Every structure is written in C-alpha cells, then in structure tokens.
Amino acid sequence: MTNKKTENRFPDERIVDIELTQELSDSFLEYSYSVIYARALPDARDGLKPVQRRIIFQMGEMGLRPDKGHVKSARVVGEVMGKLHPHGDGAIYDAMVRMSQPFTLRVPMIDGHGNFGSLDDGPAASRYTETRLAAAALIMNEGLDEDVVDFKPNYDAQLSEPEVLPAAFPNLLVNGSSGIAVGMATNMAPHNMREVIAGAIHLLGNPKATSADLMKFIPGPDLPSGGIIMGTEGIKEAYETGRGSFKTRAKVSIESVSPRKLALVVTELPYLVGPERIIEKIKDGVSNKKLQGISDVIDLTDRTNGLKLVIELKTGFDPNVVLDLLYRFTPLEDSFSINNVALVDGRPETLGLRDMLGVYLAHRVVVTKRRTENRLGKKLARLHLVEGLLKAILRIDEVIKIIRAADEVDDARKKLMSKFTLSEIQAEYILELKLRRLTKFSKLELETESKTLAKEIAELKKILSAEKNLRDVVASELEEVSAKYGDDRRSTITDGVTEVKPVSSAKAAAIDAQLADSPCFIVLTASGQVLRTTVEPTPLAKRKKHDALRAVISSTTRSYIGFLTSDGVMHRVHAGDIPANEGGFDVAESVSAAEFLGLPKQIKLIGAFELTDNTVIAIGTKLGVVKRLSADFLPKTEFEVISLKAGDAVVGAEASGEKDTLVFITNDAQLLRFDASSVRPQGRGAAGMAGIKLSEGAQAIYFTSIKVTKDTQVLTAAGNSESLGAVDAGSAKITEMAEFPAKGRATGGVRAHKFIRDENQLYFAYVGNSPIMGSASSGKPLETPEYLAKRDASGTPLSATIVSAGRD
C-alpha cells in the first residue's frame, strides 16, 4: 500500500502495487526464454549456438581466412561483442577457445595461435592469443552472399546477422555440443565426419531408413581423444530416443620398462579427461589402498609424441588386475551421457540420429535451392544484358549517333529502346558503359558468353526442376566435403570387453629369465591373504592377528600357481609375480588375494594349487557335484575347470591323491566321506558326477580332500538362518573324523551335528588335522570347543560368528 507521508514528500512519484508471484513468473519466463533460445542450445541445422555462429560469421566478415595472418583474439572478441553479441567478452572468448581445441571438437572451427588451454589448464587471456578461421569454418559460411539463408537485425538493429549458417557438413553430429539452459540441457557426442556424411547420403537417397540402418554407416561416436567405447546398447538407445549413455576406456598397452618391471602405458584417454586428473586419482587410490601394485606414474606427454602416461608396476602384481582396478577407481574409465536437445524451427526438441540428420538435410536442400535460384537469376540477368550488347555492337555507329544527338539521357534511352528493340535495363546498361569499354567487346566474345550462359542456365533449371536433382547436388557436395575434410576414426568400439595388449612371448620369456629358480612357499591364509616366502611358516611366525593357514604350497619361483574361485575359474599366476617377503610370513608384506586377482565381491576364493603335470584337484560344488580334475591346465591367465549348472558354485577344492578321502558337509548337518579312488579324474570341460545326495532344499557348504589320520577332526558351527550372526553366533563342536563311517559316493551321508534351540542349519564347517584354529570376522582368534564331541551331539555356544578356520 502507498504511504501518505511518501505521497506528500514526493508528489510526482507513482508507486504501483503488483503481485510478487506474477512478477517472478513473468521475469523467470523472459529469462528462461532468453537462455534457451539465445544462448544455451544449438540450432539443429548448423549445430551452433548463437555465440558460436556470430563468432564464425564475424570472423568471415573480417576476412580472417586460413590463408591470412592471425589477429589478436581480443580484437575478434571486441568486434563480435560490439556488433552482434552484447553478453560480455568472457562468454565470447570461452566459446572461441572451445572451438579451437582439437581435444574438444572433432573438427575445430578456429585456428588458434598461442596458449588456448589443455585438458588440465585454462587458456591465456585474449590479449595474449591470436586467431583466425580454420579451413572447415569457411564451408560453414559458404554461400552467405548468395541469399541462401535469412538475415535478421542485430541487437540494436544497426546491422544484420544470419539466422543460421549454410553449414556444408552436419556440424551438430560431427562436433557435438553441450549446454545448460533453464529446465533443460544438451550433451551431444562428437562423430566421425566421413561416417556422418555417409549416413546422411544414405538417408538422402532412402528417406524411410531407420536408425538401425544408419548405424551401419555411423556405428557410434568418434571422440577427439580416441579411446575405447565399451558396447553399443546405450548408443543404440540414444540414436533411437535422443537419450542414452556409453562408457569409454583409455587405450592401454602393457610394456616392459626394465628386465623385471612392467608398466601400463596409456596413449589415449576418455573424452575430456586430462592426464593430471588421472595422476591425482591414482595417488589418491594408492594412499587410501584402493589401488595396489603401482610404484610410480610418469607423464611423458608432449606436443610431438602426444599423450603418453606410464604407470609403473611393482614386482609381483598382475598388470591386467591392476588395470582393472584403475578402470574401477580412476577416470581411465568414464561415462558419457547423451541428451540430444536442439532447436528445431525455434523450439527445443530431443532428437534421435535420424531426426538430426533429417533436419540438417532439409536445411541443405533449402540452401542448395536458394543458391541455385540466386545463381539462375544472376545468369539470366547477365544473358539479358549480353543479348542487348550483341544488338548494339553490330550497329555501334548508330548507337553512338543516337547518344550524341540526344539532349537528355531519358531521350537517348527511349530512342535506343525503340531503334534496337531493347529493354529499359539493356538500354540503361549500354548508356552507362564507357565508350572505351564498348570498343573492347567483340561479336565473337559476346556470342561465346551467350552460349556459355545459356548452357549454365539450362543446368540450373534442371537442378530446380525436380527434388531428386536437388538431393543429388546435396549428396555430391557432401561427398566432396568428406573427401577433403574427413579423416579416419579415432575411437575403437568394442562389444563391451576390453582387449588389453598382452606382453609378447619374447618379452615374457625375457622377464622370466631374470628370476632365479629358487625354492619358495606360497602361503594362503584363511582370511584370504597371500604371500610368497623363502621360509616355511611356523606357528610362531608373525601373521595377521590370529589368521590361520589355509594352504602352504612348496614351489619354486619359476612355477605357476592356480587360484580357484567359486565360479569354477582357475586364475593362473606366475609364482614370481606374487608379492614376496624373504624372511617369512609378514602381514605388512601380504596382500588380499581377492584384490590381487581382481575378483568381484560375489566371487569367493576357494583354494590355491601348484599347476604341474602331476597335480590332481578334487572339486565339490554347492549342489553336491564332485569332480577330480586331471592335470589339464591351459597357458592362459584364466580358464574354466568345471562346467557348472545354473545356480551352482564351487564350495571346496583340494589337491587330491588316489588314497585320499573326499568329504562333503551340508547345511542340514549331513556329512559324507568316500574314497577319492571312486571318482576318476576328468578334463576341464567335464561337469563332474554326483557326490552327495542332498535333501530337498539342502546344499553343500563344505568340501575337501584329505588323508585321514588319527588327528583328523571335523569342526561344525550351527545357527538360525533368519538371525544375524552378530546377535546370535550359534554353537560349534569338534569331532574326530573316525566317528563318521565311510559310505559310497552319491549317498546321503550321516548326521554331523544336532541342532538345539532355534538352530536350523550349519553355517560353517571345516575338516583338518588338529589343532584347528578359528577366526571371527574381525580377524581376532575365536575359541573353539576344548573337548571332542560325538558326531551327532549338539555344539557349545560361540562368543562370535566363526568365518574362517585352518591350522596354526
């Protein structure tokens, strides 16, 4: 409300009450309209935002061609800001810088001289850099003087600017775009010019072509920095709907940088990811122990050789495993989200691949038609003048006499028109010619020009006579652009699996030759730690808290060790690559075997074995299948050793001799032991045979192969399947193996544990020689029952859930 005192003191002031919500609504609408249509979104026809279009147009007006010298960027910024784009010099220079960066655009529009920035650093100020148009920008402006596009007044109506550029190639797809408007955003990936033009020509000749048809020509984005595009599912979705995403990975090779050291050499990075960012993330990953096996990172990038990032590895780490961790925890693997939003007829739309090409081709057809009509008009006008000159040149003396005798120009024009049957334009052209020019014309020259003009006019009329002819001209011009400005694809598209370049056999042999063939012990603990030592672990050895030993393999540094996982895959590792400690087992030197092998969380490590020609491994699965694997090992880093059924998994594996005993334990407390000799060894491809007959709903939780002695014992732990282990640890008991009678293979076994209270399952079991050591999830020692119990007895309460067991 108005104030009376205010009205008295300022009688000329007029205060108008308005609704705040209405004012906010109107102001926000105007602001959002300005951002969407005049700043943030590209036009689907030329693929340019207003500021980019104005820069290219104004630089063309200034004559900053590729064959001319560079000028200060500040001068260009000033011209663009003063004449066309009054939104500040910062926005103009930023757009100019982006259009000059070869790592941002697939086909740069600006030829920059000076520091125009890098992926890790910004550009120098505009007063320090120089610029001119790149060759590709010329064909974006090509034909502006032939009335091919409409012009509109600039911001102050003093000058005019094109509404859209002619754009001789599909810039929106080739260079992509990114921008944030109000309530919407755009993010388009760059593509290969040759592929895009090939797809455009196909669509031009086949208007009903689908996105799937176009993908035969345009398989996916082609990023300026190269890299590897992982899979095409997200790309297909984006080409169909305008929205999708895809993953990109760095291009990495494994190389030997010294006789005993390997390195990952990065030569291509994901789009808009710089080497300094990679180095920073690697340092963070090493410090927080997410990344293991990296000793140093060296950036050898320069202008001559391009990107080269050398990631040196510690001895004892699998390069492929380290690379997989790098893909997980650093931007060596990155995701690009596609959101194809552009202006079509002045309205923002989300476009698929076919739509983007269709809008562009419609624009080029219009441009070609208008250019042809303009050229036809000029040719017809010139032919008309030439025809008039031919009439006058034959009787030049009479023409001169008429002009000399006339008192006024109008009189001379009328007499010429009447005497020689000329039009007013022809007569005016003859009158304006200087006499000395008129004498230079010859009948032969004019007749030759007339015939040439008539031929050109016929060709232009033919182009305009049918839509197909116009499309043929568009296709022909696109082919010329492709041949002149196109280049080979930089990004590799895979089916979703990265192929890392392996070490050559010669290099592998050279690396192996540097290792002394000395005895060693490969130690695997119950908690999953692995280490190579030269001294056999003893009960007094320093281990992680109370970590028990799962396996101790006596081997040599030139042997191969196999790590079997729950998915039935054997991971083959050179013994010399396993982290070592010369003095014995030390937790400070050991590493997690799962991380060392790069295992997913859902995959469990089952056991470790020396892979020799005599090794036979007994394997038991969750569904009660047993298999004895013969020494059938491939020279690969990973290979399958058992064919598992759906829902099945390996629960136990152990090196097995003919005189060993095979033991299954199920979650419903059944134990079956039978002779290993009853299971004949099989090759890798075999699925095994029936090992234990399971009750309905039951599954095996433990399997082993062991030489049974008087010291062999069975540890079982029971609990409730619905309770939390931290709340109810259940009960455990230890029983001599002699308590359990041997039965035949594929039978149901005997009861191994009596459930008490709410217990309804066995959640843990272990068979080994006494003393059996247990550990809790924290790694702390867990007290197991002191006294031996009968095989069908119940257990004694546990202080904590038991998660691992082994010998001391």
Side-chain angles (χ1 to χ4, degrees):
M1 296 180 63
T2 57
N3 189 302
K4 292 184 177 180
K5 292 183 179 180
T6 303
E7 291 178 352
N8 293 335
R9 291 177 61 187
F10 306 103
D12 296 332
E13 183 178 5
R14 184 169 64 90
I15 299 176
V16 179
D17 289 335
I18 60 173
E19 287 289 337
L20 180 61
T21 55
Q22 184 64 37
E23 176 64 20
L24 288 174
S25 176
D26 294 344
S27 298
F28 184 77
L29 185 63
E30 292 180 10
Y31 169 72
S32 60
Y33 182 88
S34 173
V35 172
I36 292 171
Y37 294 97
R39 302 183 76 169
L41 298 184
D43 192 295
R45 294 170 291 179
D46 61 7
L48 297 172
K49 300 178 186 179
V51 64
Q52 296 171 326
R53 185 179 304 114
R54 289 163 178 167
I55 290 171
I56 294 174
F57 170 70
Q58 189 59 39
M59 290 181 72
E61 293 293 293
M62 295 170 67
L64 303 180
R65 300 171 57 86
D67 55 350
K68 301 294 179 65
H70 294 81
V71 302
K72 284 289 185 183
S73 299
R75 176 184 167 191
V76 176
V77 171
E79 286 283 314
V80 174
M81 182 171 62
K83 294 182 177 180
L84 303 175
H85 195 76
H87 295 294
D89 58 331
I92 297 171
Y93 186 55
D94 287 346
M96 182 189 298
V97 166
R98 187 180 186 277
M99 287 194 292
S100 72
Q101 294 174 334
F103 52 82
T104 301
L105 298 189
R106 191 61 179 79
V107 180
M109 297 290 179
I110 304 294
D111 178 11
H113 184 216
N115 179 14
F116 274 81
S118 68
L119 288 166
D120 298 305
D121 296 307
S126 61
R127 61 183 179 274
Y128 299 120
T129 61
E130 297 177 341
T131 186
R132 65 184 177 189
L133 287 176
L138 293 182
I139 58 176
M140 294 294 291
N141 280 335
E142 193 174 55
L144 281 175
D145 57 345
E146 296 183 284
D147 190 36
V148 295
V149 296
D150 294 331
F151 278 68
K152 63 180 180 180
N154 70 333
Y155 67 92
D156 61 0
Q158 298 295 313
L159 302 169
S160 61
E161 61 176 311
E163 291 184 355
V164 65
L165 294 185
F169 66 91
N171 179 60
L172 185 65
L173 272 166
V174 172
N175 280 327
S177 184
S178 63
I180 300 175
V182 177
M184 62 185 67
T186 184
N187 199 37
M188 304 186 188
H191 290 73
N192 183 272
M193 180 183 283
R194 289 177 182 171
E195 295 175 353
V196 170
I197 288 180
I201 292 174
H202 178 75
L203 182 60
L204 202 59
N206 303 273
K208 294 184 179 181
T210 63
S211 295
D213 297 331
L214 295 175
M215 283 192 72
K216 297 176 183 177
F217 303 91
I218 311 172
D222 185 23
L223 308 174
S225 56
I228 302 171
I229 296 175
M230 306 298 296
T232 58
E233 289 302 317
I235 296 172
K236 289 178 183 177
E237 182 182 358
Y239 284 172
E240 289 285 348
T241 66
R243 293 186 179 181
S245 65
F246 61 91
K247 287 185 178 181
T248 58
R249 281 186 172 182
K251 191 172 183 179
V252 185
S253 62
I254 301 173
E255 298 181 9
S256 177
V257 294
S258 71
R260 293 187 60 185
K261 181 170 285 189
L262 295 177
L264 302 173
V265 180
V266 183
T267 53
E268 294 176 8
L269 288 173
Y271 187 41
L272 299 181
V273 174
E276 289 186 12
R277 182 180 167 197
I278 296 293
I279 294 172
E280 182 182 355
K281 290 294 184 180
I282 290 176
K283 289 180 178 178
D284 291 343
V286 171
S287 63
N288 59 29
K289 297 184 179 180
K290 286 185 178 180
L291 299 176
Q292 294 186 13
I294 298 174
S295 62
D296 197 9
V297 183
I298 305 170
D299 187 4
L300 301 178
T301 304
D302 57 37
R303 294 181 182 273
T304 304
N305 301 312
L307 175 72
K308 188 173 183 180
L309 198 61
V310 180
I311 304 171
E312 294 186 354
L313 306 179
K314 295 178 181 178
T315 301
F317 282 83
D318 186 343
N320 292 288
V321 175
V322 176
L323 179 58
D324 184 61
L325 292 173
L326 287 168
Y327 282 145
R328 294 185 196 179
F329 300 116
T330 73
L332 285 180
E333 179 177 282
D334 202 11
S335 180
F336 187 96
S337 297
I338 299 174
N339 189 24
N340 296 330
V341 179
L343 297 177
V344 179
D345 296 329
R347 300 182 63 182
E349 292 186 15
T350 302
L351 306 173
L353 176 62
R354 187 181 181 281
D355 298 329
M356 286 189 284
L357 284 176
V359 171
Y360 169 75
L361 291 173
H363 171 60
R364 280 306 295 179
V365 169
V366 171
V367 166
T368 304
K369 183 177 181 181
R370 290 181 60 164
R371 182 188 64 202
T372 306
E373 290 172 345
N374 182 271
R375 290 177 179 177
L376 178 61
K378 290 180 179 179
K379 298 293 182 183
L380 288 170
R382 177 60 185 171
L383 180 61
H384 186 59
L385 295 177
V386 169
E387 289 173 345
L389 283 173
L390 277 171
K391 292 178 181 180
I393 202 72
L394 296 174
R395 301 163 66 182
I396 188 65
D397 293 333
E398 293 183 47
V399 171
I400 294 173
K401 184 177 179 181
I402 290 172
I403 294 173
R404 291 183 65 185
D407 296 328
E408 299 290 341
V409 174
D410 289 343
D411 185 39
R413 185 188 304 110
K414 291 178 181 178
K415 289 182 179 179
L416 287 173
M417 292 170 61
S418 174
K419 183 74 175 177
F420 301 104
T421 318
L422 300 174
S423 68
E424 184 176 349
I425 294 174
Q426 289 172 323
E428 185 66 30
Y429 181 68
I430 293 171
L431 287 171
E432 289 181 354
L433 282 174
K434 293 181 180 180
L435 188 61
R436 64 184 179 184
R437 287 187 60 195
L438 194 60
T439 59
K440 290 182 181 179
F441 288 115
S442 70
K443 180 182 177 183
L444 184 61
E445 290 175 349
L446 289 172
E447 287 178 346
T448 302
E449 184 180 359
S450 176
K451 291 178 181 178
T452 302
L453 287 169
K455 183 179 180 181
E456 292 173 346
I457 288 169
E459 291 176 353
L460 292 172
K461 286 183 176 180
K462 181 181 178 182
I463 293 173
L464 293 172
S465 65
E467 182 78 9
K468 180 181 182 302
N469 297 338
L470 275 173
R471 291 176 176 270
D472 289 343
V473 173
V474 172
S476 175
E477 292 177 349
L478 284 173
E479 287 177 349
E480 292 178 7
V481 171
S482 176
K484 186 174 181 180
Y485 298 99
D487 59 6
D488 295 334
R489 166 172 279 277
R490 298 178 189 174
S491 296
T492 302
I493 300 177
T494 71
D495 59 358
V497 180
T498 304
E499 294 184 1
V500 181
K501 184 178 179 182
V503 183
S504 67
S505 57
K507 287 184 178 178
I511 295 169
D512 185 62
Q514 300 300 315
L515 299 173
D517 192 13
S518 57
C520 67
F521 295 91
I522 309 301
V523 182
L524 178 65
T525 72
S527 65
Q529 295 293 114
V530 65
L531 184 68
R532 174 167 53 90
T533 75
T534 57
V535 179
E536 184 175 9
T538 66
L540 300 178
K542 181 182 179 183
R543 296 199 291 274
K544 183 178 180 181
K545 298 180 181 176
H546 189 72
D547 204 356
L549 300 181
R550 182 189 298 185
V552 178
I553 303 171
S554 177
S555 183
T556 67
T557 52
R558 285 195 176 182
S559 63
Y560 283 89
I561 305 300
F563 293 88
L564 180 60
T565 52
S566 57
D567 56 354
V569 174
M570 186 72 78
H571 300 259
R572 181 173 177 267
V573 178
H574 194 285
D577 288 337
I578 298 175
N581 180 42
E582 300 300 326
F585 190 92
D586 189 343
V587 65
E589 299 295 332
S590 67
V591 296
S592 166
E595 292 180 2
F596 176 68
L597 297 171
L599 302 180
K601 289 185 177 179
Q602 68 272 20
I603 302 299
K604 295 181 179 180
L605 178 62
I606 302 300
F609 312 91
E610 183 178 23
L611 303 183
T612 69
D613 294 337
N614 300 317
T615 302
V616 176
I617 303 173
I619 302 172
T621 76
K622 182 172 65 174
L623 298 183
V625 175
V626 65
K627 176 181 180 179
R628 292 181 73 217
L629 174 69
S630 61
D632 183 15
F633 308 122
L634 293 178
K636 293 184 177 180
T637 56
E638 294 180 12
F639 53 90
E640 192 174 77
V641 295
I642 182 172
S643 180
L644 296 173
K645 294 181 180 179
D648 203 3
V650 177
V651 295
E654 195 67 54
S656 179
E658 289 293 317
K659 296 183 179 180
D660 282 6
T661 296
L662 305 184
V663 182
F664 271 102
I665 301 178
T666 66
N667 61 351
D668 63 345
Q670 295 296 307
L671 183 149
L672 174 66
R673 55 177 290 195
F674 54 94
D675 294 335
S677 58
S678 65
V679 181
R680 60 180 177 82
Q682 296 175 305
R684 289 176 293 102
M689 57 188 71
I692 182 173
K693 184 178 180 181
L694 298 173
S695 302
E696 184 177 353
Q699 62 184 34
I701 62 170
Y702 181 80
F703 171 83
T704 191
S705 176
I706 190 171
K707 287 183 173 61
V708 176
T709 68
K710 60 182 180 65
D711 294 324
T712 304
Q713 298 176 345
V714 179
L715 168 65
T716 52
N720 190 292
S721 58
E722 296 180 357
S723 66
L724 298 175
V727 177
D728 182 11
S731 65
K733 76 177 182 69
I734 294 179
T735 305
E736 289 182 341
M737 177 59 77
E739 288 272 337
F740 299 88
K743 298 182 67 176
R745 180 182 62 81
T747 58
V750 297
R751 189 164 70 170
H753 196 113
K754 180 181 179 181
F755 296 142
I756 57 174
R757 298 190 302 274
D758 295 328
E759 293 175 352
N760 63 0
Q761 67 163 1
L762 289 185
Y763 69 85
F764 182 83
Y766 175 80
V767 177
N769 293 330
S770 64
I772 296 177
M773 312 302 295
S775 296
S777 58
S778 63
K780 292 182 179 180
L782 185 64
E783 292 185 2
T784 54
E786 296 181 7
Y787 303 102
L788 297 176
K790 296 293 184 181
R791 66 173 180 85
D792 59 348
S794 58
T796 58
L798 285 169
S799 59
T801 303
I802 186 170
V803 297
S804 63
R807 70 177 179 84
D808 198 353

